[in-house]
Every structure is written in structure tokens, then in C-alpha cells.
């Protein structure tokens, strides 16, 4: 959805991704950061937002902890 925003990625979408990365690490373990970047750009996401999201993926895969907003702490994508 972020590709349609003129102002870029919304804070709650970042929080949801952070939460999902922390709550379902197996889902993200085999996601290639480069492939994710290419896909996000092909969907129309801005380069800045793409860098933000791929950085989150990379950090989570390297074992670093991401802290989502408290209202999304338990969020998981379907």
C-alpha cells in the first residue's frame, strides 16, 4: 500500500513489519534482501522506503532486535 502514498511509508506499516519480523522469524529467514529490494521497487515503492524495509529485514536476519510500536507488538501478517 505504501507505493500509493505521496508521503512515503506510514509509521504503522513500519511497526507491523517490525512486529512480524520479530514474531515470525521463520517466515523471513530465507527471504533474500536483494530480492525483496527488487520486488519492492518493482511495486512502486520509493527507494528510501525500500531501503528502510530491507534494512529491517537484514537486521532481523542478523539476529538484531527490532522494537515495534507498543500497539503492534503482537502483530503477525496472515
Amino acid at each position: 500500500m505504501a507505493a500509493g502514498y505521496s508521503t512515503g511509508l506510514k509509521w504503522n506499516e513500519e511497526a507491523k513489519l517490525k512486529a512480524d519480523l520479530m514474531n515470525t522469524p521463520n517466515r523471513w529467514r530465507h527471504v533474500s534482501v536483494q530480492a525483496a529490494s527488487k520486488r519492492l521497487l518493482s511495486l512502486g515503492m520509493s527507494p528510501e522506503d525500500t531501503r528502510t524495509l530491507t534494512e529491517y529485514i537484514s537486521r532481523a536476519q542478523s539476529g538484531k532486535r527490532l522494537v515495534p510500536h507498543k500497539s503492534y507488538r503482537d502483530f503477525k501478517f496472515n
Side-chain angles (χ1 to χ4, degrees):
M1 293 186 66
Y5 304 140
S6 62
T7 57
L9 196 61
K10 291 172 54 179
W11 71 270
N12 64 325
E13 291 172 333
E14 287 187 40
K16 287 178 181 180
L17 179 63
K18 285 181 183 180
D20 195 68
L21 284 162
M22 294 292 92
N23 295 326
T24 58
N26 290 335
R27 177 186 315 197
W28 297 96
R29 183 170 292 140
H30 301 291
V31 172
S32 162
V33 174
Q34 293 80 12
S37 178
K38 287 180 184 178
R39 180 70 173 143
L40 293 170
L41 290 169
S42 75
L43 291 171
M45 190 169 282
S46 74
E48 182 180 318
D49 289 342
T50 297
R51 276 191 299 277
T52 298
L53 297 184
T54 54
E55 181 181 306
Y56 291 159
I57 295 168
S58 178
R59 289 173 58 195
Q61 288 177 342
S62 67
K64 296 190 173 150
R65 186 170 172 257
L66 299 172
V67 182
H69 189 272
K70 65 181 179 179
S71 62
Y72 291 99
R73 192 167 295 146
D74 297 323
F75 180 84
K76 294 178 186 175
F77 288 113
N78 292 330

